[in-house]
Amino acid sequence: MKILVTGGAGFIGSNFVFHMLDKHPDHDIICVDALTYAGNLSTLDSVMNDPRFKFFKADIADREAIYKIFEDEKPDIVVNFAAESHVDRSIEDPEIFLRTNILGTAVLMDACRKYGITRYHQVSTDEVYGDLPLDRPDLFFTEETPIHTSSPYSSSKASADLLVLAYHRTYGLPVTISRCSNNYGPYHFPEKPIPLMIANALNDKPLPVYGEGLNVRDWLYVEDHCRAIDLIIHKGKVGEVYNVGGHNEMRNIDIVKLICKELGKPESLITFVTDRKGHDMRYAIDPEKIHRELGWLPETKFADGIKKTIKWYLDNRSWWEEIISGEYRNYYEKMYGNR
Ligand code: NAD
Ligand code: TYD
């Protein structure tokens, strides 16, 4: 069984590559990644010499390059993680989000139609459902919740989802979609809040909390997400959407305080900055369907996952220090300089 994983040099994709090589000795993994600012080849160092692993540097929206890889490698299953993934960047400059997240998905599915696959899996997000109000803790996103996006990022992901379902209905492409909540864990790019706050706290720099920090996210440990996708591509029903959530709702401010506590840093580092435009208030997933149909449940409680994550960032300083000392400095100055 040959699995083509796109975006495997990024956060969740790399964790998925490690998971699959470890759990499935009979699977070969082909990784396709354009190595944008968010992709890091050194993340894949430990598997580069594995005979069951191959890496191709290519853009998923480059039809010629993608067709050539499909023709040479003939994958059985495609799992598409490749995306522009940061909401704040999508607010600054939406266009690349449309190209990679929508056109890239279409090119990959065209390649699947042309060369034949047994499954195309789209890694999507709970952000396609928009947000929930803070004063209705009884409400959750189900697979039936209407699409109602807020940011250019979530709109591009929702567009891709609609295209995936259309390719199933129109061409009979055997697709599945997973919509997950916010992931955290090793190899998370330091523009995202959990690694950003850990790195800043370790450097005694301000911890920039948007607005009042009351927004709620449903945090999912990345390994739990990888197990869910593994189950969906092997046992999930074609044409179906599966929500994947951690039942770990946390307010941003409480996470930042917890990080301060774990690292022995003062809460006086917390700085409230101008809110994100169109900032979604609350995400919360009802993962009942994937539990009922595939037996999946999240295994990592936030209290344990955040400790493991902080330990990983302490043990792997060179990985993130190299990132934050490069081009990232310009990004940080642009986004936080006058905020
Ligand atoms: P990431 O930004 O860490 O990694 C994205 C990877 O895709 C990088 O390696 C990058 O080089 C690659 N890439 C970008 N554009 C490409 C292109 N045109 N062609 C080939 N490769 C390209 O993202 P992530 O956090 O690992 O997210 C992975 C997927 O999961 C995305 O589709 C994202 O929308 C989805 N998702 C993420 C979260 C989360 O909390 N991180 C939550 C829900 C859904
Ligand atoms: P992020 O993962 O970027 O966004 P989202 O869940 O909306 O896709 O951020 C998670 C939450 O953290 C979100 O409510 C915005 C907040 N946040 C901050 O407060 N400060 C920051 O510096 C960043 C990057 C995010």
Side-chain angles (χ1 to χ4, degrees):
M1 169 85 66
K2 226 184 224 188
I3 306 197
L4 189 150
V5 175
T6 70
F11 165 43
I12 310 176
S14 60
N15 278 282
F16 185 72
V17 167
F18 303 146
H19 169 94
M20 294 305 280
L21 287 172
D22 185 42
K23 302 288 181 219
H24 297 281
D26 55 334
H27 288 11
D28 288 346
I29 306 289
I30 313 290
C31 174
V32 174
D33 196 297
L35 298 180
T36 67
Y37 79 92
N40 197 332
L41 207 47
S42 77
T43 299
L44 295 169
D45 273 352
S46 64
V47 295
M48 272 303 182
N49 294 324
D50 188 324
R52 292 192 291 126
F53 179 79
K54 254 192 210 173
F55 180 85
F56 291 91
K57 181 175 186 306
D59 176 350
I60 57 165
D62 178 345
R63 193 172 289 274
E64 209 178 309
I66 294 300
Y67 282 13
K68 173 89 174 71
I69 294 169
F70 272 70
E71 188 164 333
D72 292 347
E73 296 297 330
K74 307 248 172 348
D76 301 292
I77 295 178
V78 173
V79 185
N80 182 25
F81 291 93
E84 287 294 331
S85 68
H86 194 35
V87 172
D88 292 324
R89 287 185 192 254
S90 83
I91 294 168
E92 292 298 304
D93 187 5
E95 191 172 341
I96 184 70
F97 286 74
L98 310 185
R99 179 181 148 81
T100 292
N101 300 3
I102 308 173
L103 281 179
T105 297
V107 167
L108 280 174
M109 291 194 297
D110 286 340
C112 290
R113 290 172 54 216
K114 187 168 159 77
Y115 295 99
I117 41 90
T118 57
R119 179 68 63 90
Y120 174 87
H121 182 75
Q122 178 74 359
V123 180
S124 185
T125 167
D126 58 0
E127 299 189 31
V128 302
Y129 300 123
D131 65 351
L132 297 164
L134 289 183
D135 61 357
R136 289 294 307 273
D138 55 314
L139 296 180
F140 295 90
F141 298 137
T142 73
E143 291 78 2
E144 314 308 322
T145 303
I147 301 285
H148 186 76
T149 56
S150 312
S151 69
Y153 163 71
S154 55
S155 304
S156 69
K157 294 295 288 185
S159 305
D161 282 12
L162 295 176
L163 213 47
V164 171
L165 295 173
Y167 271 56
H168 173 59
R169 164 109 186 222
T170 305
Y171 306 115
L173 195 70
V175 306
T176 38
I177 297 177
S178 52
R179 295 182 178 145
C180 69
S181 57
N182 290 60
N183 284 222
Y184 69 107
Y187 299 108
H188 205 179
F189 193 82
E191 70 189 347
K192 300 287 167 59
I194 289 184
L196 185 149
M197 303 298 170
I198 296 172
N200 281 17
L202 287 171
N203 289 326
D204 298 308
K205 283 178 62 180
L207 308 178
V209 172
Y210 296 171
E212 295 176 82
L214 302 179
N215 307 64
V216 170
R217 298 293 183 265
D218 174 3
W219 293 93
L220 176 66
Y221 194 64
V222 64
E223 176 60 21
D224 281 332
H225 184 199
C226 293
R227 272 193 308 106
I229 297 176
D230 186 356
L231 272 173
I232 295 169
I233 60 176
H234 290 110
K235 299 197 174 123
K237 248 170 62 196
V238 163
E240 294 288 314
V241 174
Y242 293 92
N243 282 354
V244 187
H247 271 314
N248 267 317
E249 284 182 60
M250 296 279 292
R251 299 190 312 175
N252 294 338
I253 187 66
D254 297 327
I255 295 184
V256 180
K257 285 183 178 170
L258 188 58
I259 290 172
C260 288
K261 185 161 162 248
E262 291 291 331
L263 290 174
K265 297 289 180 180
E267 287 184 9
S268 56
L269 287 175
I270 295 174
T271 314
F272 294 96
V273 300
T274 308
D275 209 350
R276 172 186 283 170
K277 292 189 182 85
H279 198 172
D280 281 339
M281 283 317 296
R282 171 175 170 250
Y283 301 145
I285 275 194
D286 176 0
E288 166 57 23
K289 177 175 173 180
I290 188 170
H291 175 55
R292 193 180 61 244
E293 290 190 12
L294 306 179
W296 179 88
L297 275 179
E299 285 174 2
T300 309
K301 297 228 165 358
F302 190 78
D304 301 327
I306 194 72
K307 282 201 177 78
K308 276 203 270 186
T309 303
I310 291 174
K311 181 168 174 355
W312 188 88
Y313 280 87
L314 285 169
D315 293 346
N316 294 273
R317 280 187 92 118
S318 59
W319 182 86
W320 56 269
E321 277 176 346
E322 196 172 316
I323 294 171
I324 66 173
S325 62
E327 173 58 28
Y328 179 84
R329 278 183 306 179
N330 298 332
Y331 165 81
Y332 198 88
E333 184 49 34
K334 181 175 166 209
M335 302 302 267
Y336 297 94
N338 292 316
R339 197 156 182 160

